[in-house]
Amino acid sequence: MKNTGGIIINKFEYILQNVSKPQQYIGCEYGLKRMETDAPENKNAVKVLLSFPDTYEIGMSNFAVKILFEIMESIDGVICDRAFLPEDDCAALMKKIDYPLHSLNYRIPAAEFDAIGVTLEYELNYSNVLHLLDLAGIALESKDRKETDPVVIAGGSACVNPEPMADFIDVFFIGDGEEAAAEICAVLKESKKSGLSRGERIKALSRLRGAYVPAYYEPVYGEPGVQAGIKKIQDGAPERIKVRTIKDLDSAFHPVKLIVPNFETVFNRGVVEIARGCKNACRFCQAGFIYRPYRERSVENIKSIIKKIFLNTGYTEFTLSSLSATDHGGLKEIINYTLGLNEAGEEFRGALFSVSLPSQRISTFSVELAGQLSKNKKSGLTFAPEAGSQRMRDVINKNVSEQDLYTTAEAAVASGYRLIKLYFMIGLPFETDEDLLEMARIISRVAAIAREKKTRGFSMNVTFSTFVPKPHTPFQWARQASREEVVRKQELIREQLKKYREICLKFTRYSVTELESAFARGSRKLCGALLDAYKDGCRFDAWDDRLKLENWRSAFEKNGMKLADYATREIKPGDYLPWSLVDTGIDAGFLEEEFESAEKERATPACDPGRCKRCGIC
Amino acid sequence: MQTQKNEFILQAWYEKNGLIKYTAHRDVINVFYISLIRAKLPLCYTEGFNRIPRLSFSPALSLGISSKCEFVNIYLNKRVEADGELLKRFNDAFPPGIIFNRLEYVETDINKTVEKIKAFEYRCEIEADCSLMEEIGEEIKQKIAAIGSAEKVMVNYNDRVRDIRPYIDGCEFFSASGRAGFTVKTLLIAGSSIKPQLVMNYIMEKYKEKAMYCVSIQKEKIIYKSQ
């Protein structure tokens, strides 16, 4: 509010009246607790702000935010709220009229919270974290923060390599967050009660499992710019950070209250996490390694969660979330239960329930399931063979055969599907042109299946992403293909498939993956480049039309690096890895063995949780 | 109150207050779908593939305007007593800012209710720096007074110039407790009317770009043809 000598101008309303899509800034959703934050009993409450470094539409669809918010909001003595990034028009107006970022529900300035939690799930959101802190009026670098500033805490899958964000985050929490959330709140409450200083609060948090305080460590550089190790500079700091893992997913917290947005977000529906981790060990997939072991929720628990979500929110559309949903043993039963809920009692009558799956295995079972999910409308089926040749599928350990794909496509066409979407990856380690030609061949063969069956109106959307080497995977040492190589590979495929009018090809932009690759395997040295890029206007880098690659290149050069070289660098086995401080529980030698298996085109069987002891997790 | 199709039409009157006024009408419709499911009403659904609860809304309220008098017809397949308990069920099921105050069964579709409407009355308030208000207060007053006698009131709307005068049934200036503004009655002609913001834009045209001010617009009441 601005007091202008009589009339108070509400700056927030002024902003809402002068920006596009104001509904994303107002909160006012169903399902929120309404606390009197100014009430005397809340005077000493700990204020925690959960933020997501993107807009409301995206952030509100994030499952981690839903879990953490519901846990923290339920803790006595904690005031929990959310914040997301405003769009550019709003951010510019906020700066112009000197209105800092506020929390969504209670409209408390972000800088007045005791802690700000940031979800880091994607490297291209890193500049957005700086944008968020900047809008909040909080110093970007940890070392510059004042005693009264909130403790900036980060969590999320990208934290398995925390180093590129090390200068900006006070404490990282690495691994599953359900138990950590409650422990963090307990430490914050206790330290507030005891009147601990900011530094002491960070120290208290650092004692929790999975906590990493970058200020307690100092990177050691060998050759110019190449990190050769890390030195502990704080007594008592752990040698390695052990990733937190929820052992029994079935007894772990699952959100059932869920805030219901007032407008369409990316996923505005009931989300039920049916399993965590993945049995399949695709060698490029980071989630498949960092979320080990594979854990399932029981069918009865899932049914109960679905019922509670419906009764609390009114959601009738459910996503059964998992890295590979079709691997869940009770999937059919869960789907049948959900689709038949309208017969389950008076409170369900009339509602029309539907289920969606985020990923489907290449199998006729998936076609059967899809038919079950959409009895009346056959929209499209999506499959990810990832690689074209059997040789390459062995290299990446994608355990599907060419025949599986054809049989699945035949079943899909026979079931009335008119659209098949396929996902492939190019630029994979050990890939040759022959593999790409094979890829084009099997894509055209799928189209031929539809033609042979005289399927009218059939079309295929085929998306080709570019391989990005990720930490803690067997391909962490591999180089990313250069821009020239990728462009040539894309052209090769395009040339092979140009005569098929029913096949629509889509290639991801190399610039995006180049930046992703640099940060995914980056060291602490990238903090400087990130800061300079942000100051030069870089943000929303994940949005194709907003990525300012030239500014990024300049920022890298200013910090003595070349973006293209950094992204495509090959790391030799035995070289120091900036993320080796993080202990995911996987045996050090296992990833190397898997890399060797890839080189020898040797597939590894899927995980058999509890029985196989290969990776060291079980 | 029971239609031939064995449906019951429940007319629900509600206020739209606070920040939820910044939720667009098409999003409010979706809020109603999910909230009414939460309220566990025996809803009738539309036919077709994407079946949705059958609802009919009063003329759309523009973004950023609060209202004391919105209504919606809800089609039910079973009669539920329209009492205080049901009203509470409604208010518990909706997000903050949408407040129901009257429920009644009606026999005809929403067009019959809309046909009876002559105009809407809005209260439009300007919040600005005191010095700005002093500077512009008298001018606003004169401009509002001039609307009554003007033959045409031309405004820019969606990149074209439009005469909104035929829709204005009266516009009066007010000033109280350091606040200034006007009330305006906008006529509903052949089912359509104008956004009160257009009147506000016309009045504040000169200051739109150069001054920092907020507006607060509220639909105060519905004026019926019989009144």
Side-chain angles (χ1 to χ4, degrees):
Chain A
M1 300 275 202
K2 181 185 171 194
N3 192 332
T4 52
I7 299 289
I8 291 172
I9 294 176
N10 188 326
K11 285 189 180 182
F12 182 48
E13 288 255 358
Y14 175 75
I15 289 170
L16 294 175
Q17 289 174 10
N18 289 283
V19 297
S20 60
K21 295 196 278 181
Q23 66 266 42
Q24 63 186 304
Y25 310 120
I26 60 170
C28 290
E29 307 105 317
Y30 181 84
L32 283 167
K33 198 158 120 181
R34 310 273 157 190
M35 283 172 79
E36 290 296 326
T37 53
D38 294 333
E41 66 270 24
N42 293 321
K43 198 179 151 212
N44 295 317
V46 163
K47 294 200 281 284
V48 181
L49 182 66
L50 292 177
S51 69
F52 190 89
D54 213 313
T55 59
Y56 178 97
E57 282 174 89
I58 295 168
M60 275 302 286
S61 305
N62 183 269
F63 191 61
V65 172
K66 292 179 202 289
I67 296 175
L68 298 176
F69 183 78
E70 208 166 304
I71 291 175
M72 291 184 167
E73 202 199 28
S74 69
I75 299 173
D76 278 344
V78 173
I79 294 170
C80 187
D81 207 345
R82 299 155 293 149
F84 303 100
L85 267 185
E87 301 270 3
D88 287 345
D89 63 339
C90 184
L93 194 52
M94 285 164 69
K95 283 270 180 194
K96 187 180 166 192
I97 66 168
D98 193 21
Y99 182 82
L101 185 75
H102 282 55
S103 69
L104 205 56
N105 186 22
Y106 298 117
R107 309 287 333 145
I108 299 170
E112 289 179 15
F113 279 78
D114 295 294
I116 296 185
V118 188
T119 302
L120 296 181
E121 293 210 325
Y122 187 31
E123 294 82 358
L124 295 193
N125 276 347
Y126 288 174
S127 59
N128 283 0
V129 175
L130 273 56
H131 190 30
L132 195 128
L133 293 172
D134 197 11
L135 288 170
I138 297 167
L140 301 184
E141 294 185 86
S142 304
K143 64 178 172 56
D144 298 330
R145 284 183 196 137
K146 302 189 299 278
E147 182 60 32
T148 52
D149 279 337
V151 176
V152 180
I153 301 171
S157 57
C159 295
V160 291
N161 178 18
E163 290 307 291
M165 288 296 286
D167 287 356
F168 314 106
I169 303 296
D170 296 319
V171 192
F172 288 91
F173 275 90
I174 308 173
D176 294 337
E178 288 92 337
E179 291 166 355
E183 290 173 24
I184 291 168
C185 287
V187 169
L188 291 172
K189 274 167 75 176
E190 188 53 41
S191 50
K192 189 165 188 171
K193 202 169 141 194
S194 323
L196 295 187
S197 68
R198 192 172 182 277
E200 287 166 332
R201 266 184 288 158
I202 291 171
K203 196 168 184 182
L205 287 168
S206 79
R207 293 188 195 107
L208 298 176
R209 189 182 163 92
Y212 170 53
V213 178
Y216 295 173
Y217 302 82
E218 206 174 73
V220 179
Y221 293 102
E223 289 171 50
V226 179
Q227 194 175 337
I230 199 153
K231 194 170 80 185
K232 203 170 75 169
I233 53 172
Q234 173 80 32
D235 287 342
E239 294 299 329
R240 292 189 79 199
I241 313 301
K242 286 192 186 301
V243 168
R244 294 187 74 120
T245 308
I246 298 279
K247 286 207 165 51
D248 178 15
L249 189 67
D250 213 30
S251 58
F253 178 86
H254 192 292
V256 291
K257 289 180 183 157
L258 306 183
I259 297 165
V260 184
N262 290 330
F263 67 101
E264 217 36 58
T265 54
V266 177
F267 290 112
N268 189 9
R269 60 184 77 142
V271 179
V272 186
E273 189 196 30
I274 60 171
R276 194 173 292 181
C278 183
K279 287 181 188 174
N280 311 300
C282 302
R283 293 181 177 123
F284 58 85
C285 177
Q286 190 182 46
F289 287 89
I290 63 170
Y291 290 122
R292 287 185 176 208
Y294 175 74
R295 292 149 286 170
E296 281 186 0
R297 276 199 167 84
S298 68
V299 172
E300 286 315 307
N301 191 5
I302 292 166
K303 286 179 182 175
S304 160
I305 290 167
I306 289 171
K307 192 174 165 182
K308 282 178 190 159
I309 290 178
F310 168 70
L311 293 173
N312 288 331
T313 65
Y315 280 132
T316 53
E317 188 182 353
F318 289 88
T319 291
L320 304 179
S321 161
S322 158
L323 288 171
S324 179
T326 30
D327 283 336
H328 194 289
L331 188 63
K332 260 187 145 177
E333 190 181 342
I334 299 162
I335 292 171
N336 283 334
Y337 169 81
T338 314
L339 296 179
L341 260 178
N342 51 348
E343 301 297 326
E346 190 62 35
E347 66 266 50
F348 301 99
R349 196 142 297 150
L352 301 163
F353 292 90
S354 66
V355 175
S356 59
L357 300 174
S359 58
Q360 282 161 355
R361 199 167 48 198
I362 300 175
S363 70
T364 48
F365 175 61
S366 297
V367 179
E368 192 192 320
L369 271 183
Q372 196 185 351
L373 298 182
S374 55
K375 286 198 176 95
N376 304 319
K377 190 183 174 189
K378 307 276 191 239
S379 51
L381 282 179
T382 306
F383 301 106
E386 307 292 1
S389 65
Q390 187 56 52
R391 190 191 77 82
M392 270 315 289
R393 285 192 296 275
D394 288 339
V395 167
I396 63 173
N397 205 35
K398 183 87 186 180
N399 293 318
V400 290
S401 70
E402 192 175 322
Q403 193 51 47
D404 290 338
L405 179 62
Y406 298 154
T407 313
T408 307
E410 273 169 21
V413 168
S415 304
Y417 287 94
R418 298 287 174 271
L419 173 66
I420 289 181
K421 297 179 204 167
L422 296 179
Y423 282 88
F424 287 94
M425 202 177 270
I426 57 174
L428 285 158
F430 314 115
E431 184 180 78
T432 64
D433 282 359
E434 282 68 39
D435 299 311
L436 299 174
L437 295 173
E438 277 284 276
M439 190 184 278
R441 187 182 62 76
I442 68 165
I443 292 167
S444 61
R445 177 73 196 115
V446 172
I449 287 170
R451 227 176 296 122
E452 284 158 16
K453 301 274 177 198
K454 297 190 171 34
T455 314
R456 291 178 68 184
F458 178 81
S459 64
M460 281 172 72
N461 290 345
V462 190
T463 303
F464 301 87
S465 60
T466 303
F467 164 72
V468 175
K470 293 275 182 169
H472 303 287
T473 68
F475 287 166
Q476 62 185 352
W477 296 279
R479 59 183 284 274
Q480 189 189 37
S482 69
R483 180 180 295 270
E484 294 71 27
E485 286 172 90
V486 171
V487 169
R488 192 188 61 78
K489 283 168 192 258
Q490 290 176 345
E491 271 313 305
L492 182 66
I493 293 166
R494 208 177 267 127
E495 187 59 32
Q496 292 295 312
L497 295 170
K498 67 179 180 189
K499 62 182 173 193
Y500 300 99
R501 279 193 315 174
E502 69 269 47
I503 303 175
C504 173
L505 306 180
K506 192 184 166 199
F507 297 92
T508 54
R509 208 173 143 202
Y510 184 79
S511 304
V512 172
T513 45
E514 185 178 32
L515 200 58
E516 183 184 345
S517 176
F519 275 94
R521 299 190 303 161
S523 70
R524 202 177 286 200
K525 208 167 160 35
L526 261 59
C527 293
L530 176 55
L531 187 61
D532 287 331
Y534 172 70
K535 286 178 180 166
D536 200 15
C538 293
R539 60 210 61 169
F540 290 106
D541 301 302
W543 300 43
D544 248 7
D545 55 333
R546 299 203 202 175
L547 175 63
K548 295 173 177 164
L549 196 68
E550 274 314 310
N551 302 29
W552 273 108
R553 282 185 182 138
S554 309
F556 268 73
E557 274 163 28
K558 204 171 159 189
N559 286 272
M561 293 171 285
K562 211 172 159 205
L563 172 60
D565 293 349
Y566 200 89
T568 58
R569 78 195 194 283
E570 190 169 352
I571 303 174
K572 293 187 205 87
D575 282 358
Y576 180 80
L577 302 170
W579 53 92
S580 59
L581 185 76
V582 175
D583 178 5
T584 60
I586 292 178
D587 287 342
F590 175 73
L591 296 180
E592 281 192 51
E593 280 168 28
E594 279 293 288
F595 188 69
E596 275 172 36
S597 296
E599 202 172 1
K600 290 175 183 159
E601 300 161 18
R602 210 166 48 204
T604 302
C607 287
D608 189 359
R611 294 205 186 106
C612 109
K613 303 283 176 197
R614 283 193 301 269
C615 73
I617 291 276
C618 295
Chain B
M1 65 194 71
Q2 185 175 4
T3 67
Q4 287 172 343
K5 285 182 179 173
N6 239 1
E7 289 168 338
F8 300 85
I9 307 173
L10 183 67
Q11 192 163 82
W13 288 79
Y14 63 96
E15 295 178 10
K16 194 179 175 192
N17 281 333
L19 291 173
I20 208 160
K21 69 185 177 187
Y22 292 104
T23 303
H25 183 67
R26 67 167 192 281
D27 294 318
V28 169
I29 292 173
N30 288 325
V31 167
F32 267 74
Y33 291 154
I34 195 163
S35 304
L36 290 170
I37 291 171
R38 261 192 315 257
K40 301 186 180 57
L41 291 170
L43 300 165
C44 290
Y45 284 81
T46 58
E47 302 292 326
F49 179 70
N50 288 317
R51 293 172 63 193
I52 46 172
R54 271 193 71 195
L55 308 176
S56 304
F57 283 85
S58 53
L61 189 66
S62 308
L63 188 77
I65 299 181
S66 54
S67 173
K68 287 181 174 174
C69 45
E70 297 301 296
F71 59 95
V72 57
N73 279 7
I74 303 161
Y75 289 75
L76 304 178
N77 58 40
K78 203 169 113 185
R79 195 188 149 90
V80 185
E81 205 52 54
D83 54 10
E85 198 185 314
L86 187 63
L87 201 60
K88 184 178 180 312
R89 230 160 100 186
F90 266 78
N91 284 324
D92 287 348
F94 274 74
I98 294 180
I99 302 151
F100 290 84
N101 47 36
R102 183 154 56 103
L103 298 172
E104 61 192 10
Y105 282 98
V106 293
E107 290 183 17
T108 52
D109 67 29
I110 201 144
N111 292 334
K112 298 288 176 198
T113 312
V114 175
E115 274 170 17
K116 293 178 195 163
I117 298 173
K118 181 189 171 195
F120 301 114
E121 185 178 310
Y122 296 94
R123 181 183 166 87
C124 309
E125 212 170 278
I126 300 151
E127 288 174 18
D129 190 297
C130 275
S131 54
L132 176 68
M133 287 311 291
E134 273 168 29
E135 183 194 329
I136 66 175
E138 190 55 34
E139 198 177 326
I140 293 172
K141 193 175 174 179
Q142 283 173 14
K143 212 161 177 185
I144 289 166
I147 287 177
S149 54
E151 273 188 26
K152 287 184 175 182
V153 174
M154 306 305 289
V155 295
N156 276 315
Y157 180 59
N158 281 353
D159 293 331
R160 67 188 178 98
V161 179
R162 187 180 169 193
D163 178 17
I164 58 168
R165 182 63 188 89
Y167 292 93
I168 301 174
D169 193 33
C171 195
E172 281 176 29
F173 178 79
F174 69 76
S175 173
S177 317
R179 289 171 185 270
F182 57 92
T183 55
V184 61
K185 289 176 193 153
T186 63
L187 292 166
L188 190 65
I189 303 170
S192 70
S193 188
I194 53 161
K195 296 177 177 186
Q197 284 103 324
L198 294 179
V199 183
M200 180 63 89
N201 290 350
Y202 172 76
I203 287 162
M204 296 298 286
E205 198 177 8
K206 195 172 149 190
Y207 301 96
K208 181 85 184 144
E209 298 301 326
K210 58 180 186 183
M212 182 178 164
Y213 65 91
C214 265
V215 296
S216 162
I217 305 176
Q218 174 152 281
K219 192 196 268 186
E220 291 282 313
K221 63 181 176 193
I222 294 173
I223 300 160
Y224 292 97
K225 287 172 182 164
S226 56
Q227 284 176 311

